[in-house]
Amino acid sequence: MIRIGILGAAGIAPQALIHPVRRRSDMEVIAIAARSLESAAEYARVHGIPRAYDGYDALLAADDIDLVYVALPPSEHIRWSIAALETGKDVLCEKPISMDAAQARSAAAVATRTGRHLIEAFHDHYHPLTAAVKEVIDSGALGKIVSIAASFTADNPYSPTSIRHVPELGGGALMDLGCYPVHWLRELGGAEPIVMGATYTPNELGADITIDAQLRFDTGPHADATGSLHASMAPGVSFRAPVFVTGERGTLSVDNLVLPHLGHSVRTVIDGVTRTWTVAGRETYDHELDAVVRALETGEPADTEGDDYVATMEVIDAIYAAANVKRTVSGAAA
């Protein structure tokens, strides 16, 4: 039995962890920590968690917790992930793993030194849909890949108190939403893309409310292909997470790569023949927990560990630099 403690009374935790864990017999959530005991106790009561802790250090001091789920603002991800690793615990950390690539590299080094797992929670990667799309692209069925376009948009009304809009806490469209298209481009392109340019629209606090980037693949199986990224949390935008791949023989489109269990379709048009299909699977979070358990049991790294999250943050850094976004990295690792 893998015993889990949650850092942060976060709204994402029931969907991403608590409910999926309850569908399993090899994991259980036994503790929650928040900045106040009152908040932790109320969260524990609502979600049926046995123990509540006043502060994150108190939970990390418990010797019967195997895995820590970090559900804090991105500015706090590395600080508390490293703290958990240092106490001998494995970590599943919400995306994005850190505020920049330097932080990601520091955390990866600690994970290596302690011999523990630090897994970034790109749950969508573990759904069979991602592998199926990549298989079509890599099979050559589309011919030589010309371009890959990925985007993620979701209406997120501005509030100066929302962590999604405060740049010092890791807010902004690229960090909150665009990290997914960055991951898709890296994975489907089969190599690390080069950022050619980027533009953004700031909110009142300077965080990117909309951001666009142009990329190119210089290496890998689809060298010379271009990439494009769009992320927006502007008022009125629809929830959409599509990917569109163009090859010399045809196209492939996916209308919901981020949460395929809520409904999706894949459409290919190859040599003039159209095919529309879906890929069976459970909730993305169930597949992610399969990977977490496998990593903890075998000692082998999960796909979204180490080099993977460092590379994702390197692309995010490059997009922000190309767009001339002013960034403040707080909560840096000591």
Side-chain angles (χ1 to χ4, degrees):
M1 182 67 70
I2 297 171
R3 300 159 297 183
I4 305 169
I6 300 173
L7 297 188
I12 188 62
Q15 174 187 4
L17 185 83
I18 295 171
H19 298 324
V21 164
R22 287 180 178 154
R23 292 193 283 268
R24 307 182 65 96
S25 61
D26 53 2
M27 310 178 97
E28 60 180 341
V29 177
I30 67 170
I32 170 72
R35 286 179 294 178
S36 72
L37 183 57
E38 293 78 13
S39 178
E42 175 62 12
Y43 196 91
R45 183 192 67 78
V46 170
H47 297 291
I49 299 172
R51 300 203 308 258
Y53 286 97
D54 183 6
Y56 311 134
D57 283 316
L59 184 148
L60 296 183
D63 60 6
D64 62 344
I65 292 174
D66 308 302
L67 176 70
V68 171
Y69 174 57
V70 178
L72 302 170
S75 58
E76 299 300 307
H77 283 178
I78 290 302
R79 174 187 176 188
W80 291 105
S81 291
I82 287 178
L85 293 168
E86 295 285 15
T87 63
K89 296 171 175 57
D90 295 298
V91 179
L92 175 64
C93 181
E94 267 306 327
K95 36 58 55 185
I97 193 75
S98 62
M99 293 289 280
D100 61 17
Q103 285 191 355
R105 283 189 288 269
S106 71
V110 174
T112 298
R113 173 171 57 78
T114 58
R116 312 310 305 183
H117 294 276
L118 171 54
I119 303 169
E120 187 174 22
F122 273 119
H123 54 96
D124 56 297
H125 164 80
Y126 296 102
H127 191 280
L129 174 62
T130 299
V133 169
K134 184 170 174 57
E135 183 178 359
V136 173
I137 295 170
D138 291 344
S139 71
L142 300 176
K144 179 178 173 58
I145 300 302
V146 176
S147 65
I148 305 173
S151 69
F152 192 179
T153 60
D155 186 339
N156 190 351
Y158 171 75
S159 168
T161 60
S162 168
I163 64 172
R164 290 188 167 95
H165 288 275
V166 180
E168 292 81 7
L169 299 179
L174 181 57
M175 290 285 280
D176 190 53
L177 303 174
C179 60
Y180 285 97
V182 167
H183 203 251
W184 299 335
L185 287 164
R186 290 186 51 248
E187 180 163 26
L188 300 181
E192 305 308 329
I194 305 299
V195 177
M196 305 303 295
T199 58
Y200 82 109
T201 302
N203 67 12
E204 288 86 338
L205 300 178
D208 49 302
I209 194 165
T210 296
I211 194 161
D212 292 272
Q214 300 76 48
L215 308 96
R216 187 184 71 233
F217 293 94
D218 285 350
T219 61
H222 310 300
D224 300 325
T226 62
S228 65
L229 176 146
H230 173 71
S232 178
M233 53 186 189
V237 300
S238 300
F239 182 95
R240 297 189 68 243
V243 169
F244 192 84
V245 183
T246 301
E248 292 182 340
R249 291 180 54 197
T251 62
L252 177 149
S253 59
V254 187
D255 60 1
N256 184 10
L257 195 55
V258 70
L259 293 170
H261 57 274
L262 297 182
H264 74 275
S265 65
V266 184
R267 184 174 185 266
T268 56
V269 181
I270 301 173
D271 296 333
V273 178
T274 300
R275 178 187 173 214
T276 302
W277 42 287
T278 61
V279 177
R282 296 165 292 152
E283 289 193 14
T284 54
Y285 303 105
D286 293 305
H287 292 288
E288 178 180 65
L289 289 182
D290 285 347
V292 170
V293 170
R294 186 163 54 249
L296 269 58
E297 288 182 344
T298 66
E300 294 297 318
D303 291 346
T304 55
E305 283 193 58
D307 291 344
D308 185 68
Y309 56 68
V310 170
T312 294
M313 291 312 304
E314 287 174 342
V315 176
I316 289 174
D317 285 355
I319 292 173
Y320 274 138
N324 293 313
V325 177
K326 295 182 179 179
R327 304 175 70 197
T328 301
V329 177
S330 60

